[in-house]
Amino acid sequence: MEERYGKLSLLNIMTNIWLGEWDKYEEIMEEIPQAVKTELPFHSSYNREVVPLWYDNHFFIPGDHFISPFFSSYIQEIEDEETRKMNLLCLISLYEKTGFLYPLEIDRFPDHIGCLTAFLSSVLKEQVAAIQEDDFVYLHHLEELENKFLKQYIQPLINTLLKQANKKVSHSFFKEFLKFYADIMIAI
């Protein structure tokens, strides 16, 4: 159970970073013990005045430093627009089937990496609830969903995302964060 809570905390931190929710990020980091903070290599480079500006440069404003935060940007074998639309509709359908409401209020598309990470976080929350209710059939279903989702939506973009970041990211917070994110998503 502690491992799930740990994964859930990491996913919440990473979701806040991907979505640029710095108040929530700071709130979570205030509650985390110092020993745990040192395990987060990116946090030591966090500066509230600078990091949001680099966030916009890397993930929001197209330009020299831009890295697409959208799953659909990394699927090279899908060339035609119809297939991309179908994949997006399947993702939305998956969200709806599980009762996940992706964050519309922050103006992000459902295939934004922050939304994908938030979805994983919601699956982990459900896993914790299933354990507390001794519903191991539902827990098994959720674990399969987590693994399938990681393999289908997150892990395929990791290598290309890191290659893009290697060329375009100079701020240490995001360099360390993206490496950390990739390591966690591959290890999960």
Side-chain angles (χ1 to χ4, degrees):
M1 188 69 133
E2 282 185 33
E3 181 181 331
R4 286 183 208 278
Y5 278 121
K7 281 171 56 174
L8 182 56
S9 293
L10 285 177
L11 288 171
N12 286 336
I13 290 167
M14 294 186 296
T15 297
N16 289 325
I17 293 171
W18 275 115
L19 297 177
E21 295 180 337
W22 306 114
D23 290 337
K24 289 181 182 178
Y25 172 77
E26 289 174 2
E27 206 174 288
I28 291 172
M29 295 310 287
E30 283 178 21
E31 296 175 13
I32 293 177
Q34 189 60 38
V36 176
K37 286 181 191 176
T38 59
E39 298 295 318
L40 304 173
F42 51 87
H43 183 66
S44 63
S45 301
Y46 180 74
N47 175 325
R48 178 62 184 257
E49 293 178 18
V50 177
V51 167
L53 297 174
W54 277 109
Y55 171 83
D56 287 347
N57 282 327
H58 290 312
F59 306 115
F60 203 67
I61 303 169
D64 292 342
H65 299 283
F66 182 72
I67 302 164
S68 178
F70 300 101
F71 169 77
S72 56
S73 299
Y74 294 96
I75 306 305
Q76 297 164 351
E77 65 269 13
I78 301 172
E79 295 296 328
D80 70 68
E81 192 64 29
E82 282 304 308
T83 306
R84 285 184 187 214
K85 285 179 186 176
M86 277 306 292
N87 281 343
L88 189 57
L89 289 173
C90 288
L91 178 63
I92 292 169
S93 174
L94 178 62
Y95 287 171
E96 288 174 353
K97 284 178 188 174
T98 59
F100 174 70
L101 302 173
Y102 62 93
L104 287 173
E105 71 276 0
I106 57 168
D107 195 29
R108 300 289 191 271
F109 289 110
D111 72 330
H112 187 282
I113 298 171
C115 295
L116 299 174
T117 308
F119 176 76
L120 277 177
S121 182
S122 74
V123 171
L124 257 298
K125 285 177 190 170
E126 284 294 309
Q127 288 178 8
V128 168
I131 290 170
Q132 290 170 341
E133 296 170 8
D134 293 329
D135 189 346
F136 298 106
V137 172
Y138 185 48
L139 174 64
H140 179 70
H141 172 72
L142 290 167
E143 289 170 338
E144 286 178 346
L145 175 62
E146 175 190 6
N147 289 329
K148 180 181 176 187
F149 190 80
L150 280 164
K151 287 179 181 150
Q152 187 172 352
Y153 291 103
I154 304 256
Q155 291 171 346
L157 62 83
I158 294 293
N159 287 334
T160 307
L161 177 68
L162 290 176
K163 285 179 190 171
Q164 291 280 325
N166 192 38
K167 296 177 199 170
K168 298 180 178 188
V169 174
S170 58
H171 193 274
S172 57
F173 178 85
F174 288 107
K175 274 187 172 195
E176 293 298 326
F177 170 70
L178 292 170
K179 283 187 233 170
F180 182 82
Y181 184 83
D183 291 344
I184 294 297
M185 291 302 165
I186 289 169
I188 288 183

